[in-house]
Amino acid sequence: MKHRYLPMTETDKKEMLETIGVNSIDELFSDIPERVRFKGEYNIKPKKTETALMKELTLLAQKNADLRSHTSFLGAGVYDHYMPVIVDHVLSRSEFYTAYTPYQPEISQGELQAIFEFQSMICELTGMDVANSSMYDGGTALAEAAMLSAGQTRRKKVLISNAVHPEAKEVVKTYAKGQYIEVIEIPHKDGITDTAVLKDMINDEIAAVIVQYPNFFGRIEPLKELEEIIHAQKSLFVVSSNPLSLGALTPPGKLGADIVAGDAQPFGIPTAFGGPHCGYFAVTNKLMRKVPGRLVGQTVDEEGRRGFVLTLQAREQHIRRDKATSNICSNQALNALAASVAMTALGKKGVKEMAISNIQKAHYAKEALKARGFEIAFEGPSFNEFVVKLHAPVKEVNKKLLEKGIIGGYDLGRDYSDLKNHMLIAVTELRTKEEIDAFVNEMGDYHA
């Protein structure tokens, strides 16, 4: 590559001004009143050569605490998981890396098949009938589920568990505001959705009840018990789920969920400072024609050969907007491909072993912390996260841990006023016994 960017010469500038019919830059901006025009110099560093600039940016990047140099116990929706090396190899192929919306199936069979396989694997994991070709991320996928529920039931209230990821809750509320849908939170009790309160809150005005499985505190929600309460009022049951956990847990679809959404980041997608990631969205056959986004279907051509096409798109988003439950027109095809490659490389047995490893290692860390005198906030079944009560502010403890090369857990006090000095700790299959022991020892030093 000759240039990392294309510099603009004076000749280029002159030609552009001539093309749009002005003589100078000042004339171009003449419609902007003189009194509001910026006259000074921008407060930025002087220009540098390309090599000097690259050196400076590299030094800045090296100040980041990343997962290659530090041991991470931070989860809260984005996790440090094993990524098969084949993922990057496949993603780097130009036919996938530069692919766009596959409207022409005759030249997009590879991309369409990859998306079809993603849909199929998501259905198998979640126990649902139909999955779309991915959403932007877990938060927006959950919000789309809430909007679909309101459109399907023609009701204007949604109940969402207080144990759902705080950021996902805010996304749901943002979507709901534009649709004039009321979002009401169900409190949690001992770290799981309070079923007694849910029974009092639910009625025939509720479009859907949303819970997370495992929830934000790492606890396993009693989906079957919740399903009976929710469907008794003909409301829809929406479950946000970590797809990796479903390698070990009973899929929500087997427990009566109507919609299952979440983020495929645990499969082959780097943490990347929080994104971009890949949302998944799966439903029962009854809701197939309400699914936002697009579906890829399998068919045969005139000669009976297997082929793939876009099918059952929710065209209302384009031509009958008053009936639309969504306006999403794109997806995260490249990240969905990453998830597909990772799941394929792991296989059914690998996904199950990986999920069980998360459970076992998190349990080991929990017991080790208890042995050092820590209080576990919400005892009970969990996946790879749990909550620990500290004797000092989480922010201070995390700062000291970082000095030791450890990225600590999430400060729950940021989102829950009653959980001040509580840390949400994530332990994935990548954490070794030595790393867990070192983390517990460091934590113990700050637990006086």
Side-chain angles (χ1 to χ4, degrees):
M1 184 184 293
K2 186 176 180 182
H3 295 290
R4 292 178 185 271
Y5 58 91
L6 298 177
M8 183 173 68
T9 66
E10 287 300 317
T11 302
D12 294 330
K13 189 187 298 184
K14 182 180 178 182
E15 289 177 354
M16 285 191 281
L17 290 172
E18 288 176 353
T19 300
I20 61 177
V22 296
N23 296 317
S24 66
I25 295 293
D26 288 337
E27 185 181 346
L28 178 64
F29 294 109
S30 60
D31 289 339
I32 300 175
E34 188 75 27
R35 68 181 183 279
V36 298
R37 289 194 211 177
F38 180 66
K39 297 291 176 56
E41 294 289 329
Y42 288 114
N43 185 25
I44 58 176
K45 295 180 180 180
K47 63 182 179 181
K48 289 188 174 183
T49 62
E50 181 180 327
T51 51
L53 178 61
M54 290 301 297
K55 184 175 182 180
E56 181 177 352
L57 292 176
T58 301
L59 290 171
L60 285 172
Q62 289 173 350
K63 293 182 178 181
N64 291 325
D66 61 38
L67 302 181
R68 289 170 296 183
S69 60
H70 289 62
T71 302
S72 177
F73 290 88
L74 177 62
V78 181
Y79 305 92
D80 181 23
H81 286 297
Y82 166 65
M83 288 177 53
V85 292
I86 193 175
V87 173
D88 281 341
H89 177 74
V90 175
L91 291 193
S92 298
R93 293 184 62 88
S94 60
E95 59 266 42
F96 288 123
Y97 200 69
T98 61
Y100 189 57
T101 304
Y103 286 131
Q104 293 178 268
E106 65 275 13
I107 62 170
S108 305
Q109 285 299 293
E111 179 77 6
L112 287 165
Q113 181 175 354
I115 293 173
F116 179 82
E117 301 297 350
F118 171 81
Q119 294 173 179
S120 302
M121 286 185 275
I122 291 297
C123 284
E124 194 162 350
L125 274 173
T126 59
M128 303 300 285
D129 301 319
V130 182
N132 72 5
S133 62
S134 87
M135 309 291 279
Y136 296 136
D137 53 36
T140 52
L142 192 62
E144 293 282 0
M147 298 307 101
L148 187 157
S149 300
Q152 174 71 8
T153 61
R154 297 185 181 181
R155 299 175 179 179
K156 288 291 187 178
K157 291 183 180 180
V158 170
L159 298 181
I160 187 167
S161 171
N162 184 245
V164 169
H165 195 300
E167 292 176 1
K169 282 189 295 185
E170 289 305 309
V171 175
V172 172
K173 291 174 182 177
T174 299
Y175 271 57
K177 187 174 182 180
Q179 299 280 354
Y180 302 103
I181 296 168
E182 185 180 0
V183 180
I184 308 164
E185 289 195 29
I186 314 163
H188 71 84
K189 182 179 181 181
D190 298 326
I192 59 173
T193 306
D194 193 326
T195 53
V197 175
L198 172 61
K199 288 178 183 178
D200 293 335
M201 295 177 71
I202 195 166
N203 54 49
D204 59 7
E205 296 180 344
I206 304 302
V209 177
I210 302 172
V211 299
Q212 187 171 323
Y213 172 83
N215 66 28
F216 188 60
F217 306 125
R219 293 292 310 278
I220 311 300
E221 295 278 1
L223 295 193
K224 192 58 184 175
E225 182 181 351
L226 294 168
E227 181 270 332
E228 293 171 359
I229 298 169
I230 295 162
H231 283 158
Q233 293 293 338
K234 293 183 170 54
S235 301
L236 294 184
F237 186 21
V238 178
V239 179
S240 172
S241 191
N242 177 339
L244 175 60
S245 72
L246 303 182
L249 303 178
T250 302
K254 303 294 184 184
L255 298 171
D258 297 295
I259 305 173
V260 183
D263 204 305
Q265 184 272 324
F267 291 124
I269 302 173
T271 54
F273 291 96
H277 293 152
C278 168
Y280 73 83
F281 193 99
V283 299
T284 58
N285 277 324
K286 182 181 178 181
L287 299 174
M288 182 192 305
R289 292 182 180 275
K290 296 291 186 179
V291 172
R294 60 188 65 150
L295 300 172
V296 173
Q298 181 175 259
T299 184
V300 293
D301 65 12
E302 290 181 348
E303 299 178 6
R305 294 175 299 189
R306 184 190 191 203
F308 303 91
V309 294
L310 286 178
T311 184
L312 289 178
Q313 289 191 88
R315 301 308 296 183
E316 287 83 0
Q317 63 187 304
H318 304 304
I319 60 176
R320 291 190 296 170
R321 294 186 181 183
D322 57 317
K323 294 186 177 181
T325 62
S326 170
N327 67 353
I328 188 171
C329 298
S330 186
N331 72 328
Q332 285 281 27
L334 192 64
N335 280 330
L337 174 64
S340 300
V341 174
M343 286 188 279
T344 302
L346 291 166
K348 290 183 181 180
K349 184 178 179 182
V351 170
K352 183 176 181 179
E353 289 177 352
M354 192 167 158
I356 291 173
S357 179
N358 277 253
I359 295 171
Q360 292 173 335
K361 292 189 175 186
H363 179 74
Y364 174 80
K366 185 191 298 185
E367 293 302 313
L369 284 164
K370 285 165 68 175
R372 292 294 297 266
F374 285 88
E375 178 186 342
I376 305 301
F378 306 124
E379 284 283 14
S382 60
F383 179 55
N384 64 1
E385 290 180 282
F386 56 92
V387 180
V388 170
K389 184 177 181 180
L390 306 183
H391 291 167
V394 175
K395 185 177 181 179
E396 291 182 11
V397 174
N398 276 339
K399 186 176 181 181
K400 293 176 181 177
L401 287 172
L402 196 62
E403 293 172 358
K404 301 291 185 177
I406 298 172
I407 299 173
Y410 184 81
D411 184 358
L412 288 172
R414 295 175 56 178
D415 305 291
Y416 299 88
S417 58
D418 58 329
L419 293 177
K420 183 180 179 181
N421 297 346
H422 284 68
M423 180 187 285
L424 177 66
I425 296 170
V427 186
T428 72
E429 76 289 345
L430 290 181
R431 299 287 69 84
T432 65
K433 181 179 182 299
E434 292 74 20
E435 288 173 337
I436 296 171
D437 289 342
F439 171 67
V440 171
N441 287 334
E442 292 294 337
M443 288 280 285
D445 291 342
Y446 312 131
H447 195 60

